[in-house]
Short mmCIF file of all heavy atoms in Angstrom, two decimals:
data_model
loop_
_atom_site.label_atom_id
_atom_site.label_comp_id
_atom_site.label_asym_id
_atom_site.label_seq_id
_atom_site.Cartn_x
_atom_site.Cartn_y
_atom_site.Cartn_z
N PRO A 118 -24.64 22.05 19.47
CA PRO A 118 -25.02 20.91 20.30
C PRO A 118 -24.73 19.60 19.55
O PRO A 118 -24.57 19.62 18.33
CB PRO A 118 -26.52 21.10 20.52
CG PRO A 118 -26.96 21.94 19.37
CD PRO A 118 -25.78 22.80 18.99
N PRO A 119 -24.68 18.50 20.26
CA PRO A 119 -24.44 17.22 19.58
C PRO A 119 -25.48 17.01 18.47
O PRO A 119 -26.63 17.42 18.61
CB PRO A 119 -24.61 16.17 20.68
CG PRO A 119 -24.49 16.91 21.96
CD PRO A 119 -24.86 18.35 21.70
N ALA A 120 -25.06 16.39 17.41
CA ALA A 120 -25.92 16.19 16.24
C ALA A 120 -27.05 15.20 16.53
O ALA A 120 -28.03 15.17 15.82
CB ALA A 120 -25.10 15.71 15.06
N PHE A 121 -26.91 14.40 17.57
CA PHE A 121 -27.96 13.43 17.86
C PHE A 121 -27.94 13.09 19.34
O PHE A 121 -26.97 13.32 20.04
CB PHE A 121 -27.76 12.15 17.03
CG PHE A 121 -26.47 11.44 17.35
CD1 PHE A 121 -26.43 10.45 18.31
CD2 PHE A 121 -25.29 11.79 16.71
CE1 PHE A 121 -25.24 9.81 18.62
CE2 PHE A 121 -24.10 11.15 17.02
CZ PHE A 121 -24.08 10.16 17.97
N ASP A 122 -29.04 12.57 19.77
CA ASP A 122 -29.16 12.08 21.14
C ASP A 122 -28.77 10.60 21.10
O ASP A 122 -29.46 9.79 20.50
CB ASP A 122 -30.61 12.26 21.61
CG ASP A 122 -30.81 11.77 23.03
OD1 ASP A 122 -29.91 11.12 23.59
OD2 ASP A 122 -31.89 12.05 23.57
N GLN A 123 -27.66 10.26 21.71
CA GLN A 123 -27.11 8.92 21.60
C GLN A 123 -28.07 7.87 22.11
O GLN A 123 -28.24 6.81 21.48
CB GLN A 123 -25.78 8.83 22.35
CG GLN A 123 -25.08 7.52 22.13
CD GLN A 123 -23.69 7.50 22.74
OE1 GLN A 123 -23.24 8.49 23.29
NE2 GLN A 123 -23.04 6.37 22.65
N VAL A 124 -28.74 8.11 23.22
CA VAL A 124 -29.67 7.12 23.77
C VAL A 124 -30.82 6.91 22.79
O VAL A 124 -31.19 5.77 22.48
CB VAL A 124 -30.20 7.57 25.15
CG1 VAL A 124 -31.29 6.63 25.65
CG2 VAL A 124 -29.06 7.64 26.14
N LEU A 125 -31.39 8.00 22.29
CA LEU A 125 -32.48 7.90 21.33
C LEU A 125 -32.03 7.14 20.09
O LEU A 125 -32.74 6.28 19.56
CB LEU A 125 -32.99 9.30 20.95
CG LEU A 125 -34.11 9.34 19.92
CD1 LEU A 125 -35.35 8.64 20.45
CD2 LEU A 125 -34.40 10.78 19.56
N GLU A 126 -30.83 7.45 19.61
CA GLU A 126 -30.29 6.79 18.43
C GLU A 126 -30.15 5.28 18.66
O GLU A 126 -30.52 4.48 17.80
CB GLU A 126 -28.92 7.40 18.09
CG GLU A 126 -28.35 7.01 16.78
CD GLU A 126 -29.02 7.72 15.61
OE1 GLU A 126 -29.62 8.78 15.79
OE2 GLU A 126 -28.94 7.17 14.50
N GLU A 127 -29.68 4.89 19.83
CA GLU A 127 -29.52 3.46 20.13
C GLU A 127 -30.87 2.76 20.25
O GLU A 127 -31.04 1.64 19.77
CB GLU A 127 -28.71 3.29 21.42
CG GLU A 127 -27.25 3.63 21.27
CD GLU A 127 -26.49 3.57 22.58
OE1 GLU A 127 -27.03 3.03 23.58
OE2 GLU A 127 -25.35 4.06 22.60
N VAL A 128 -31.83 3.41 20.85
CA VAL A 128 -33.17 2.82 20.98
C VAL A 128 -33.79 2.63 19.60
O VAL A 128 -34.34 1.57 19.29
CB VAL A 128 -34.08 3.70 21.88
CG1 VAL A 128 -35.53 3.26 21.80
CG2 VAL A 128 -33.59 3.66 23.31
N GLU A 129 -33.70 3.67 18.75
CA GLU A 129 -34.27 3.55 17.41
C GLU A 129 -33.58 2.46 16.60
O GLU A 129 -34.24 1.71 15.88
CB GLU A 129 -34.18 4.90 16.68
CG GLU A 129 -35.15 5.92 17.20
CD GLU A 129 -35.01 7.27 16.51
OE1 GLU A 129 -34.02 7.49 15.77
OE2 GLU A 129 -35.89 8.11 16.72
N ALA A 130 -32.25 2.36 16.73
CA ALA A 130 -31.52 1.32 16.01
C ALA A 130 -31.95 -0.06 16.50
O ALA A 130 -32.13 -0.99 15.70
CB ALA A 130 -30.02 1.51 16.18
N GLY A 131 -32.15 -0.21 17.80
CA GLY A 131 -32.61 -1.48 18.36
C GLY A 131 -34.00 -1.85 17.85
O GLY A 131 -34.26 -3.01 17.50
N LEU A 132 -34.88 -0.86 17.80
CA LEU A 132 -36.23 -1.12 17.29
C LEU A 132 -36.20 -1.49 15.82
O LEU A 132 -36.92 -2.39 15.37
CB LEU A 132 -37.12 0.11 17.50
CG LEU A 132 -37.49 0.43 18.95
CD1 LEU A 132 -38.20 1.77 19.04
CD2 LEU A 132 -38.33 -0.69 19.54
N GLU A 133 -35.34 -0.83 15.06
CA GLU A 133 -35.21 -1.13 13.62
C GLU A 133 -34.69 -2.55 13.42
O GLU A 133 -35.17 -3.29 12.56
CB GLU A 133 -34.31 -0.10 12.94
CG GLU A 133 -34.26 -0.23 11.45
CD GLU A 133 -35.58 0.09 10.78
OE1 GLU A 133 -36.40 0.84 11.33
OE2 GLU A 133 -35.80 -0.44 9.67
N ARG A 134 -33.69 -2.94 14.23
CA ARG A 134 -33.16 -4.30 14.13
C ARG A 134 -34.24 -5.33 14.44
O ARG A 134 -34.36 -6.36 13.77
CB ARG A 134 -31.97 -4.48 15.08
CG ARG A 134 -30.66 -3.95 14.57
CD ARG A 134 -29.48 -4.40 15.42
NE ARG A 134 -29.59 -3.97 16.81
CZ ARG A 134 -29.15 -2.80 17.28
NH1 ARG A 134 -28.56 -1.95 16.47
NH2 ARG A 134 -29.28 -2.50 18.55
N GLU A 135 -35.06 -5.03 15.44
CA GLU A 135 -36.14 -5.96 15.81
C GLU A 135 -37.16 -6.07 14.68
O GLU A 135 -37.63 -7.17 14.37
CB GLU A 135 -36.82 -5.48 17.10
CG GLU A 135 -37.89 -6.42 17.60
CD GLU A 135 -37.40 -7.84 17.82
OE1 GLU A 135 -36.26 -8.03 18.28
OE2 GLU A 135 -38.16 -8.77 17.50
N ARG A 136 -37.50 -4.96 14.02
CA ARG A 136 -38.42 -5.00 12.88
C ARG A 136 -37.85 -5.85 11.76
O ARG A 136 -38.55 -6.66 11.15
CB ARG A 136 -38.67 -3.58 12.35
CG ARG A 136 -39.58 -2.76 13.19
CD ARG A 136 -39.81 -1.37 12.62
NE ARG A 136 -40.49 -1.45 11.35
CZ ARG A 136 -40.25 -0.65 10.32
NH1 ARG A 136 -39.35 0.30 10.42
NH2 ARG A 136 -40.90 -0.79 9.19
N VAL A 137 -36.57 -5.69 11.47
CA VAL A 137 -35.93 -6.46 10.40
C VAL A 137 -35.95 -7.95 10.77
O VAL A 137 -36.25 -8.80 9.92
CB VAL A 137 -34.50 -5.95 10.14
CG1 VAL A 137 -33.74 -6.89 9.20
CG2 VAL A 137 -34.52 -4.54 9.56
N ARG A 138 -35.65 -8.28 12.04
CA ARG A 138 -35.68 -9.69 12.46
C ARG A 138 -37.07 -10.31 12.28
O ARG A 138 -37.20 -11.43 11.79
CB ARG A 138 -35.25 -9.81 13.94
CG ARG A 138 -33.82 -10.11 14.10
CD ARG A 138 -33.47 -10.50 15.54
NE ARG A 138 -32.25 -9.81 15.86
CZ ARG A 138 -32.13 -8.78 16.69
NH1 ARG A 138 -33.16 -8.34 17.35
NH2 ARG A 138 -30.98 -8.21 16.89
N ARG A 139 -38.09 -9.56 12.70
CA ARG A 139 -39.47 -10.08 12.54
C ARG A 139 -39.80 -10.31 11.06
O ARG A 139 -40.38 -11.32 10.71
CB ARG A 139 -40.48 -9.09 13.14
CG ARG A 139 -40.67 -9.24 14.62
CD ARG A 139 -41.94 -8.55 15.13
NE ARG A 139 -42.10 -7.18 14.66
CZ ARG A 139 -41.62 -6.09 15.26
NH1 ARG A 139 -40.92 -6.22 16.37
NH2 ARG A 139 -41.85 -4.89 14.77
#
Side-chain angles (χ1 to χ4, degrees):
F121 63 92
D122 180 349
Q123 187 173 357
V124 173
L125 178 63
E126 191 76 22
E127 289 175 12
V128 168
E129 287 178 349
L132 291 172
E133 187 66 25
R134 279 192 300 272
E135 183 56 38
R136 284 181 64 217
V137 170
R138 265 192 223 108
R139 276 196 312 272

